[in-house]
């Protein structure tokens, strides 16, 4: 529906939310797929950073720390929303620890 109406913002938010659902169901590969689709569609810098941080979190939960660190570092290049940057630094610190 959103694609037919050309509601790009709704499409991106829906993809991010589906990624979150997959994350909570511990389906991390699927979650990454939806986050990557949202990243490719959005033009909003904050959302790009959020997508990268979500992908990093998925890799962190799979204990793939090198991949997690790659995406967390990439997310720092984008503006952040509320406490997302603090969360990013906290998880990165945990990875280093």
């Amino acid at each position: 529906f959103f694609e037919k109406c050309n509601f790009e913002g709704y499409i991106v938010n829906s993809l991010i939310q589906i990624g979150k659902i997959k994350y909570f169901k511990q389906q991390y590969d699927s979650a990454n797929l939806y986050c990557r689709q949202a990243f490719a569609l959005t033009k909003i810098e904050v959302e790009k950073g959020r997508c990268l941080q979500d992908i990093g979190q998925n890799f962190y939960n799979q204990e793939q720390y090198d991949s997690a660190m790659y995406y967390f570092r990439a997310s720092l290049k984008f503006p952040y929303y509320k406490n997302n940057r603090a969360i990013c630094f906290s998880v990165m610190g945990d990875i280093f620890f």
Side-chain angles (χ1 to χ4, degrees), residues 7-19 38 47 50:
F7 291 157
E8 185 177 297
Y10 292 112
I11 294 169
V12 170
N13 191 47
S14 295
L15 290 170
I16 291 171
Q17 296 307 320
I18 292 169
E47 287 179 350
R50 179 180 173 193

Side-chain angles (χ1 to χ4, degrees), residues 5-85:
C5 294
N6 201 27
F7 291 157
E8 185 177 297
Y10 292 112
I11 294 169
V12 170
N13 191 47
S14 295
L15 290 170
I16 291 171
Q17 296 307 320
I18 292 169
K20 286 286 187 192
I21 291 166
K22 297 292 186 179
Y23 165 82
F24 286 113
K25 292 180 76 175
Q26 297 180 349
Q27 297 173 354
Y28 302 118
D29 291 336
S30 293
N32 284 343
L33 174 71
Y34 286 104
C35 289
R36 286 186 175 113
Q37 288 176 348
F39 181 85
L41 285 175
T42 190
K43 295 176 180 98
I44 300 171
E45 297 288 302
V46 172
E47 287 179 350
K48 285 185 177 283
R50 179 180 173 193
C51 291
L52 293 174
Q53 186 169 335
D54 286 350
I55 293 170
Q57 187 69 46
N58 292 332
F59 280 118
Y60 175 78
N61 286 343
Q62 295 176 80
E63 297 181 357
Q64 296 180 17
Y65 300 121
D66 290 340
S67 295
M69 188 62 76
Y70 172 83
Y71 284 98
F72 281 124
R73 284 184 175 148
S75 76
L76 292 174
K77 297 175 184 171
F78 294 94
Y80 61 95
Y81 179 73
K82 290 191 177 182
N83 62 348
N84 281 359
R85 184 157 288 176

